[in-house]
Amino acid sequence: NAGVIQTPRHKVTGKGQEATLWCEPISGHSAVFWYRQTIVQGLEFLTYFRNQAPIDDSGMPKERFSAQMPNQSHSTLKIQSTQPQDSAVYLCASSLETLYFGSGTRLTVL
Amino acid sequence: GQQVQQSPASLVLQEGENAELQCNFSTSLNSMQWFYQRPGGSLVSLFYNPSGTKHSGRLTSTTVIKERRSSLHISSSQTTDSGTYLCALERPGGYKVVFGSGTRLLVSP
């Protein structure tokens, strides 16, 4: 079991560019979560899927952020027109009961 | 208001001392988890503990639902215990998992 896999580990974009982050949850896990973490804000909930269906996206900035889970084996978080304030570590987690986190994608927007 | 509150925000110990970290919650819960995060690292699950007491090596987690609190006890602390400890609450009905703001622990030799 490789755990939750996130790619890329690091991504640098210019202001206004698009960023797509990938997450492969642990096989068999029914829930997939996206969080982002910064020193200032700490760990912020973004969105959550259960059995591939979006359940709660209350943490997502509405205009530029979107998340999909087209099949059981991966989820994507897309940020359009990235801004410097989007710079953060984006963490994906999956669970049946216990929550398991990936290593995260560090996004830097210049 | 904040659903999950952790205390203390930071803690400095001498190696060998014990630590008690607290997590208080203002809502009903389905589960409580404790995580450890090294600076620059990802979150590692320490305990999944919806109620009662669980042990793992030098770590003990106790969740008392009626009192709406969970604690993490670290005995005989070591320098390698330094990092941030976070508690996370899952509300009933499959709601999102809400994290506390963390306790930053520094254990000096």
Side-chain angles (χ1 to χ4, degrees):
Chain A
N1 188 341
V4 177
I5 299 172
Q6 288 190 251
T7 55
R9 288 297 306 274
H10 303 274
K11 187 168 182 68
V12 180
T13 66
K15 184 178 174 182
Q17 292 183 326
E18 182 178 287
T20 300
L21 313 180
W22 295 76
C23 171
E24 182 180 329
I26 292 173
S27 178
H29 281 192
S30 56
V32 173
F33 298 80
W34 284 96
Y35 290 85
R36 70 177 171 185
Q37 188 175 35
T38 60
I39 293 174
V40 174
Q41 297 292 334
L43 200 59
E44 296 179 279
F45 167 82
L46 294 176
T47 189
Y48 156 48
F49 296 86
R50 186 173 287 278
N51 296 320
Q52 298 175 237
I55 301 298
D56 183 344
D57 66 353
S58 59
M60 295 274 274
K62 294 300 179 195
E63 292 184 352
R64 299 181 295 106
F65 283 59
S66 63
Q68 285 83 35
M69 191 163 183
N71 56 57
Q72 290 181 337
S73 63
H74 87 274
S75 175
T76 57
L77 179 68
K78 185 179 292 186
I79 309 172
Q80 295 177 313
S81 186
T82 54
Q83 303 297 311
Q85 61 264 31
D86 299 332
S87 298
V89 176
Y90 288 81
L91 292 163
C92 176
S94 71
S95 76
L96 279 175
E97 286 185 334
T98 304
L99 203 58
Y100 292 93
F101 279 85
S103 300
T105 294
R106 182 176 294 277
L107 175 66
T108 302
V109 182
L110 301 176
Chain B
Q2 200 163 359
Q3 298 177 8
V4 182
Q5 294 188 322
Q6 282 191 250
S7 61
S10 61
L11 184 61
V12 179
L13 299 175
Q14 289 285 325
E15 195 168 28
E17 291 182 322
N18 298 332
E20 185 87 6
L21 282 56
Q22 296 289 342
C23 182
N24 293 283
F25 44 94
S26 59
T27 184
S28 54
L29 89 164
N30 199 43
S31 71
M32 174 63 71
Q33 270 191 261
W34 283 90
F35 293 87
Y36 168 72
Q37 186 175 34
R38 202 176 291 279
S42 191
L43 282 82
V44 176
S45 178
L46 298 174
F47 289 102
Y48 175 86
N49 186 12
S51 67
T53 298
K54 293 192 174 182
H55 303 276
S56 177
R58 295 181 294 104
L59 304 180
T60 301
S61 169
T62 300
T63 298
V64 184
I65 296 174
K66 286 185 180 179
E67 297 178 13
R68 298 201 165 181
R69 63 174 177 86
S70 182
S71 63
L72 178 68
H73 183 85
I74 305 172
S75 62
S76 303
S77 62
Q78 300 175 359
T79 56
T80 51
D81 295 332
S82 297
T84 300
Y85 293 81
L86 297 119
C87 64
L89 175 151
E90 179 187 349
R91 290 169 53 194
Y95 286 91
K96 67 191 180 192
V97 177
V98 180
F99 281 80
S101 53
T103 293
R104 193 166 296 181
L105 175 66
L106 176 64
V107 182
S108 55

